[in-house]
Amino acid sequence: RPYDPERDFDAVVRTWREIGWIDTSDDQRASLGHFLEVGHSAVGVVDGDAECLVHWTPGTLRHTDTDLPLCGLTAVTTSRVARKLGLATALTARALVEGIDAGAAVAVLGMFEQGFYDRFGFGTGPYEHRVRFDPRSLDVDMLYRPPVRVTPDDWEDVHAALLRRHRDHGSLTLDPPGIARAELGWIENPFGLGYRDESGELTHFVMGPAKGEHGPYRIWHLAYRDTAQLLELLRMLRELGDQVASIDMMEPPEIQLQDLVRQPIRRRIMSAKSEHELTTTSLAFWQLRILDLEACVAAHRWRGPEVVFDLTLDDPLGGLVDGAGIAGDYTVTVADPATVEPGHRGDVPRLRASVNAFSRLWFGVRSASALAVTDDVAAPADLLAALDESLRLPPPRLGWFI
């Protein structure tokens, strides 16, 4: 049933504390309340208590230069006593159907582990690079400007800056400003620094948790409108190096951060096995799936020779909710713009795929030839080669934790 704050809030707080998503402080409890005030929530009930909650938030996901309406699955939580009852499965499927009814073209979620959300048609996103570096090692030569503080009380400005940030292929936004209020409220010992323009508008900033005197400082939220502002933020972080031994952040999509670090290999060797080990790690931690095939296909632009193929698409969502999902036979033309029509032509090569794998293909997570090896994609070699060329995209980067 729909979440009822008066009836269910205490039970949801208990669940989130059981699973370790929030601690026992009043501040984190209050932030959960702010989170549940926005988006859409439903609960699964056991013996009269809400023991499972699924929450989704509207937003956008960019395909090349088109912003597609998004269903962001922003929480799937189940208490200790409600595991293996099918509640999370039922509520997640319900949330996707609600998103479809609301006009969402694509869905995104952060996964606790690869595999569980495959049953809903989700495919794994690309590797994201998380870099830990000594701020003193940043080789950014530009004039230093003292920053201003950014605090959780600035959540409206933070949300506005995230919406107006520079966005590349795959970048995500979440619509309600209150989502930023909750996210900032969950940061333990937050630090935030940034810059405002002459009108007072927050234009670029970093924010995250600071650990102790020497760090690591972890950057959870980052916004800038151009690469000059990104470099200014890095220049500002360099000045923290008098005290802070390491900073941890997701690598921005525009740059290879190691290019701006002096002696990265030597510093990594010298810091090995310490709390401030300077290294780069990779992990794919989010997933996506197409909800509206026509809208997602139309977002693609290809100015080369047309590629036309019959598509047979499997979608497990239909097995969870009758009539849901986008399984079926289609004809896809990759052009400028691309198009999709129901039914097969029959005189063109055929590609068979799960919606999981096709979503990864269409958003540029991996090439058609690679997915034919590791995922649920099958097609003639000539078609795979043509799709490798016509769907060549930069890896999608959310730029917003979900």
Side-chain angles (χ1 to χ4, degrees):
R1 59 172 171 78
Y3 165 75
D4 179 346
E6 293 186 5
R7 183 177 180 181
D8 300 326
F9 182 61
D10 287 341
V12 173
V13 169
R14 179 183 62 204
T15 293
W16 281 46
R17 286 175 174 168
E18 285 182 354
I19 65 175
W21 278 28
I22 61 172
D23 61 27
T24 58
S25 68
D26 290 339
D27 288 344
Q28 297 233 335
R29 174 188 172 95
S31 293
L32 176 54
H34 298 320
F35 175 78
L36 295 171
E37 288 171 0
V38 301
H40 308 267
S41 299
V43 295
V45 178
V46 179
D47 295 331
D49 288 335
E51 300 286 0
C52 179
L53 177 134
V54 171
H55 179 278
W56 70 274
T57 307
T60 67
L61 186 73
R62 179 161 293 184
H63 189 297
T64 52
D65 58 358
T66 299
D67 286 337
L68 296 164
L70 170 77
C71 169
L73 283 173
T74 32
V76 178
T77 56
T78 306
S79 75
R80 294 169 180 160
V81 302
R83 304 295 171 94
K84 304 303 180 183
L85 300 180
L87 295 176
T89 297
L91 289 175
T92 300
R94 170 178 171 164
L96 289 174
V97 171
E98 288 181 359
I100 294 168
D101 292 342
V106 62
V108 169
L109 56 80
M111 58 180 173
F112 68 91
E113 182 54 279
Q114 187 169 291
F116 177 81
Y117 294 105
D118 292 9
R119 72 187 72 180
F120 307 100
F122 283 92
T124 301
Y127 290 123
E128 299 275 3
H129 297 147
R130 178 163 286 281
V131 182
R132 180 172 293 181
F133 57 91
D134 177 351
R136 295 176 304 174
S137 71
L138 286 171
D139 189 12
V140 183
D141 293 323
M142 60 187 306
L143 182 66
Y144 171 74
R145 285 197 301 154
V148 299
R149 290 187 180 88
V150 182
T151 75
D153 290 337
D154 298 313
W155 56 271
E156 290 179 293
D157 291 344
V158 165
H159 183 262
L162 287 168
L163 292 184
R164 298 188 181 109
R165 75 190 191 278
H166 174 74
R167 295 181 60 196
D168 284 318
H169 173 66
S171 61
L172 175 147
T173 66
L174 297 175
D175 290 344
I179 200 76
R181 184 181 189 184
E183 290 173 348
L184 300 188
W186 282 323
I187 300 176
E188 296 182 17
N189 191 29
F191 86 97
L193 296 168
Y195 296 93
R196 295 181 182 270
D197 63 17
E198 294 179 355
S199 70
E201 182 179 356
L202 183 65
T203 54
H204 47 308
F205 76 95
V206 297
M207 196 165 188
K211 182 179 180 182
E213 181 179 359
H214 304 295
Y217 280 20
R218 290 182 170 86
I219 294 174
W220 286 4
H221 301 284
L222 168 69
Y224 51 89
R225 298 182 183 178
D226 54 41
T227 50
Q229 291 184 352
L230 170 61
L231 291 174
E232 182 168 46
L233 290 173
L234 294 173
R235 177 67 179 85
M236 177 267 295
L237 290 175
R238 193 175 86 180
E239 295 307 309
L240 299 180
D242 291 343
Q243 174 183 335
V244 179
S246 63
I247 292 176
D248 187 290
M249 66 181 290
M250 202 73 71
E251 186 173 64
E254 288 78 19
I255 63 172
Q256 185 169 325
L257 193 57
Q258 185 172 311
D259 291 342
L260 301 178
V261 175
R262 292 189 295 268
Q263 296 182 310
I265 297 174
R266 176 181 177 82
R267 290 174 186 271
R268 178 175 182 173
I269 294 170
M270 296 294 290
S271 63
K273 298 183 180 180
S274 76
E275 184 179 14
H276 302 284
E277 182 172 6
L278 308 178
T279 187
T280 300
T281 59
S282 297
L283 182 68
F285 62 86
W286 60 269
Q287 295 184 301
L288 82 165
R289 65 149 292 157
I290 292 171
L291 299 175
D292 183 333
L293 183 62
E294 183 177 358
C296 289
V297 167
H300 189 70
R301 300 290 189 271
W302 167 242
R303 293 174 173 83
E306 283 190 351
V307 180
V308 184
F309 61 96
D310 287 341
L311 171 65
T312 296
L313 204 57
D314 299 323
D315 189 344
L317 187 59
L320 300 171
V321 180
D322 288 342
I326 55 174
D329 293 334
Y330 304 94
T331 302
V332 178
T333 301
V334 185
D336 184 15
T339 61
V340 60
E341 298 177 355
H344 283 171
R345 265 184 43 172
D347 60 345
V348 292
R350 183 168 75 100
L351 181 144
R352 189 200 61 76
S354 64
V355 68
N356 317 56
F358 190 77
S359 299
R360 301 178 76 197
L361 169 64
W362 200 258
F363 278 85
V365 175
R366 283 291 179 267
S367 69
S369 294
L371 292 169
V373 176
T374 65
D375 209 330
D376 193 8
V377 167
D382 289 350
L383 177 57
L384 293 175
L387 292 175
D388 288 347
E389 178 67 21
S390 61
L391 298 179
R392 184 176 296 176
L393 294 165
R397 305 292 185 196
L398 298 185
W400 191 317
F401 286 114
I402 186 169

